[in-house]
Amino acid sequence: MAAPLVSVADALAAMRSAVGPLAPRRVPLSEALGAVLTEPLRADADSPPHRKAMMDGYAVVGADLVDGEGEFTILEEVTAGLTPTRPVKAGFATRVMTGAPVPDGANAVVMIERAGEIGGAASSRVRLRDPAFRPGQHIMQQGEVWRAGETVLAENVPIGPAQIALAAEAGYDALLVRPIPRVAVLATGNELVPPGTLLTPGKIRNSNGPLMVAMVRQAGCSVVDLGIARDDAAALREAIALGLSSADVLVLSGGVSAGVLDLAPAALAACGVEQVLHRVRIKPGQPLWFGVRRGENEQPVFGLPGNPVSTFVCFQVFVRPLLEQLGAPRTLPKLVSAELTADFRHKGDRPTYFPAVLEPAKSNGGPRQVRTVSWRGSSDLRGLAQANALAVFSAGDRQFSAGEEVEVLPLDRFY
Ligand code: AMP
Ligand code: MG
């Protein structure tokens, strides 16, 4: 006897309560994008760490310029990364490039564009003429932006490129974050050959592998692609163990139905994954399997039914919300209601998530419009590829009429 079917809402609730948020971990700056910082960042040095030139030019004693003009003997040249060796005194100037430390004694920089040669390019004399000259110009004081020891970023902020750059400047090469989930994906089936391979009798291409990789990326998570495993207990156990050791979440497709080679639930159990539920009242996607491997973090494991549109729908309806709970940076569009533009005959005792096209309201303030696409069921990717939404038809045999409102799950098809 097969287990009774669980409703979509009950299945989601069971999944949500089975796993907590991921524990904070330290990740290199290159992996921090999109994560949430869980420690305040303190700078280890002043910013800027030295008084610095903001222009290419000449560092001088301001009082030396009369009406913005004067002639100087060049002491030395300091480019960014070097340090001055001599203080600047009256009558002298040091050539400084943007970012270089300004020598002691100098209190202004005159831009290189305001300098005229005296006696040829190799001369050690220069004439400066800057009608708008003011003491202090083109110099940034040490510690003007922050002082060593100051908090430069509070905890609980999401990390974007600017925050990563700030952390790098403040002395960090890794950050303690609520991490972005790492998701391992595995396609299972003896019939599968990789995309790009010629078909031989009985074989089909692995479309779920690339599908799951793309859906993980669309959620903003990082992906570990485990490729294809054969319908063989030992091969499955090996691939599952690899997934559990290399990721926070494991999503596999195929092998969770009632066929003779549907070996995934037993292989998962052998790898220490406890079943939470199996079989959900949803079409497509009824054979869905979900379990958890207990440990420091609970690791959720999804066994998605092998038909590609079942895999797609189950990912969208179940995997995405759980990834969000774990810290996925991209959030799913919310359910909306829309008006059917044509009659639709629904059959069956499961709610159907039917590929559809959602369009904006025809008039201001009017209802959104939705129409189903031509779709031949759970293996029809061509129908799915025309959809930008899934229309949800409640369970039962009945006619939905044009003009009736139904719930629609918009798909974020593109980045
Ligand atoms: P299963 O869930 O393993 O019983 O597979 C159900 C159906 O989905 C079968 O027709 C499989 O050939 C097909 N299928 C399983 N895995 C994949 C995959 N990775 N790519 C495309 N089709 C698949
Ligand atoms: Mg199979």
Side-chain angles (χ1 to χ4, degrees):
M1 257 289 283
L5 299 185
V6 183
S7 73
V8 169
D10 287 350
L12 267 173
M15 291 169 178
R16 285 207 160 105
S17 64
V19 295
L22 295 180
R25 63 173 173 250
R26 200 163 287 283
V27 301
L29 291 184
S30 58
E31 287 169 30
L33 183 67
V36 174
L37 190 65
T38 55
E39 62 179 350
L41 299 190
R42 285 200 176 76
D44 68 341
D46 292 347
S47 175
H50 49 253
R51 219 159 58 105
K52 80 173 177 187
M54 299 300 287
M55 292 283 177
D56 301 325
Y58 291 86
V60 294
V61 180
D64 265 6
L65 281 96
V66 178
D67 294 334
E69 287 191 46
E71 282 186 23
F72 299 86
T73 299
I74 299 170
L75 280 174
E76 60 178 335
E77 182 173 85
V78 185
T79 51
L82 300 180
T83 51
T85 61
R86 300 161 70 180
V88 173
K89 297 197 192 81
F92 291 87
T94 290
R95 259 168 89 89
V96 288
M97 298 298 127
T98 303
V102 174
D104 289 346
N107 66 355
V109 170
V110 177
M111 284 164 70
I112 214 160
E113 292 83 349
R114 308 262 182 272
E117 287 171 5
I118 303 174
S123 160
S124 63
R125 298 276 294 163
V126 66
R127 184 196 309 279
L128 302 177
R129 189 169 174 279
D130 185 351
F133 179 84
R134 50 178 179 80
Q137 71 177 18
H138 308 320
I139 291 178
M140 193 169 192
Q141 297 305 318
Q142 178 176 339
E144 203 176 302
V145 181
W146 70 61
R147 287 289 181 191
E150 264 183 50
T151 296
V152 294
L153 198 60
E155 61 191 303
N156 281 326
V157 299
I159 299 167
Q163 289 71 25
I164 288 174
L166 169 65
E169 192 195 338
Y172 292 80
D173 63 355
L175 298 176
L176 192 66
V177 297
R178 190 150 95 82
I180 289 170
R182 283 175 309 209
V183 184
V185 303
L186 173 68
T188 75
N190 286 339
E191 71 277 38
L192 303 178
V193 296
T197 311
L198 276 183
L199 290 181
T200 52
K203 304 296 185 197
I204 60 166
R205 296 196 180 98
N206 171 22
S207 46
N208 287 343
L211 171 67
M212 293 186 289
V213 166
M215 292 188 88
V216 171
R217 294 230 169 99
Q218 204 170 37
C221 296
S222 61
V223 64
V224 179
D225 186 359
L226 301 171
I228 300 169
R230 302 284 141 216
D231 293 316
D232 164 84
L236 281 170
R237 285 197 303 267
E238 192 184 326
I240 289 165
L242 181 59
L244 290 170
S245 64
S246 56
D248 303 304
V249 181
L250 172 62
V251 183
L252 60 81
S253 82
V256 293
S257 198
V260 289
L261 285 182
D262 289 329
L263 307 173
L268 287 163
C271 292
V273 185
E274 289 169 29
Q275 177 179 316
V276 173
L277 59 89
H278 192 188
R279 293 164 44 86
V280 175
R281 188 176 298 284
I282 186 171
K283 186 180 173 186
Q286 174 172 289
L288 175 68
W289 189 99
F290 176 78
V292 172
R293 219 258 308 244
R294 316 237 168 245
E296 202 182 322
N297 277 320
E298 288 102 7
Q299 281 178 288
V301 178
F302 291 87
L304 308 184
N307 267 311
V309 185
S310 308
T311 296
F312 181 91
V313 168
C314 287
F315 199 108
Q316 197 79 16
V317 174
F318 300 105
V319 183
R320 272 295 288 264
L322 210 71
L323 292 181
E324 282 177 26
Q325 174 173 321
L326 291 174
R330 283 170 186 268
T331 51
L332 259 183
K334 296 280 167 279
L335 270 173
V336 298
S337 74
E339 186 182 87
L340 279 173
T341 58
D343 292 352
F344 181 84
R345 172 112 206 107
H346 185 259
K347 278 178 134 176
D349 59 357
R350 289 175 280 154
T352 303
Y353 286 64
F354 205 103
V357 175
L358 180 65
E359 281 167 350
K362 284 214 197 82
S363 60
N364 230 342
R368 295 182 177 87
Q369 311 280 300
V370 66
R371 64 181 163 83
T372 54
V373 302
S374 160
W375 181 54
R376 298 182 57 78
S378 58
S379 65
D380 178 3
L381 283 169
R382 184 156 71 170
L384 180 66
Q386 278 156 46
N388 67 359
L390 298 169
V392 188
F393 295 103
S394 46
D397 295 351
R398 86 165 175 96
Q399 173 92 7
F400 289 80
S401 308
E404 214 175 304
E405 295 233 328
V406 293
E407 289 208 301
V408 179
L409 190 61
L411 305 174
D412 46 356
R413 291 171 74 201
F414 308 108
Y415 274 109

